Amino acid sequence: MPHDRTDLQALRGLTRAQLHAHARRYYKTGGRTEPEVALVVYGDAQAVFKDYARTPGWFGRIIAPVLIWREASALRRLAGITGIPKLYRQLDARGVLIEYLPATPWPQAKPPEIAYERLDALVAAMHARGVAHCDLRAPSNMLVSDDGVPYIVDFVARVCRGRAWNLPWNWVFAQFVGADESALAKLRVRFAPSLATGADRALLAEQGLVERVARAIGERTREIVRFFVRSG
Ligand SMILES: Nc1ncnc2c1ncn2[C@@H]1O[C@H](COP(=O)(O)OP(=O)(O)OP(=O)(O)O)[C@@H](O)[C@H]1O
Ligand SMILES: [Mg+2]
């Protein structure tokens, strides 16, 4: 390998087949409505490859490009925030290559208290850029390093803030910001009860109507997609 080309530059230029050939492990092996998520290692460089190319049928052809677009556009909008993986490359409509985060999913880690404070700040920075994550209820979408630095992954469900004039949309956006915040409250209640405040518990008890409706729609949509995928 020429000396002026780093392993990371080379990794970023690999084809899809080469990326799979260099997969050290799969966090997810894919399914009828799921991507493959691989840790790719090339020399000293590492990256994560999220790929729907082997997701079969209409889900792979039609839905997957929408999900990959949602993920890539959110990562571009959040570029530069510590705790959000860098987008290395969008291969095509069905795959993205992103920065590997040296961290453990929240449920398997024992994050120190400071990690919860930093996570609040990270989520606030994400909202300030105009992105609501909308899937922070899945604690596997948050990672934490050994020294307590939090990270957020998986932006396929994100909702972005609209233009200033778009008041109805921005009201919707504000509801999803609230949903992210109550997901953090839930995380504290579940994994760090000593940090959970009375307000956290109250927030969970009286979750906004909009949030409940949004969640119900999300769950219904997933069931409907699964039904059609199974019978399709
Ligand atoms: N950039 C990254 N660095 C390290 N690990 C990652 C990264 N991105 C994803 N992972 C790991 O892969 C898992 C799945 O990734 P992701 O959440 O993006 O896919 P998903 O299809 O939504 O999976 P799931 O349904 O499990 O949430 C994460 O929970 C995390 O453990
Ligand atoms: Mg996920």
Side-chain angles (χ1 to χ4, degrees), residues 120-134:
D120 286 350
L122 173 56
V123 170
M126 177 180 80
H127 291 160
R129 281 276 180 100
V131 178
H133 185 282
C134 306

Side-chain angles (χ1 to χ4, degrees), residues 205-220:
E206 44 115 310
Q207 263 169 28
L209 176 65
V210 173
E211 189 188 333
R212 265 180 286 157
V213 171
R215 204 132 66 88
I217 293 172
E219 278 158 19
R220 289 298 298 156

